[in-house]
Amino acid sequence: MSGLFRQVEAVWRKYDRPGRPRLVAQASVALGPDDTVQRARRNLRDYYAFTGRAEYMAEGLLTTAREIRAAVDAFRDIGADEVVLYCWTSDPDQVDRLADAVF
């Protein structure tokens, strides 16, 4: 992401845009019991099946509070203004689990 962010900033400057671009990163996440995490991985595989990278995307799913905090910190360190935590399961408890993980 750092390389992509730097490219965006360079193009922003090249075209003399005012201020700075808003840099947003996304991480795929699922917290909770194993069945919740496995359902999220299935959803990722289904969604990305057409790309030929479905397994890669499923393996990249962040499934622990520690992994999520590390990703948010890393994105912040490279200049992200916002990090979207994209949850791949419909389990409503994800909201509280993610809030506890990040804050």
Side-chain angles (χ1 to χ4, degrees):
M1 278 307 280
S2 183
L4 291 173
F5 282 1
R6 300 305 73 90
Q7 287 177 345
V8 167
E9 291 166 336
V11 170
W12 193 271
R13 286 187 303 274
K14 177 181 176 181
Y15 289 98
D16 242 356
R17 299 288 307 253
R20 60 179 290 279
R22 181 161 181 76
L23 302 173
V24 179
Q26 176 185 317
S28 295
V29 302
L31 290 174
D34 197 43
D35 64 324
T36 298
V37 171
Q38 292 311 315
R39 186 170 45 251
R41 282 203 169 98
R42 279 192 308 275
N43 291 340
L44 266 162
R45 285 185 191 101
D46 290 347
Y47 183 83
Y48 285 103
F50 75 97
T51 68
R53 296 174 46 97
E55 195 57 39
Y56 171 81
M57 297 303 292
E59 289 301 316
L61 182 70
L62 304 179
T63 61
T64 68
R66 185 174 145 185
E67 289 175 330
I68 293 167
R69 279 192 303 274
V72 169
D73 289 345
F75 285 134
R76 187 179 308 132
D77 289 348
I78 63 168
D81 297 298
E82 180 179 348
V83 179
V84 176
L85 300 178
Y86 194 93
C87 185
W88 284 89
T89 180
S90 60
D91 174 9
D93 290 336
Q94 291 298 293
V95 174
D96 291 330
R97 288 186 190 122
L98 290 169
D100 290 343
V102 177
F103 299 108

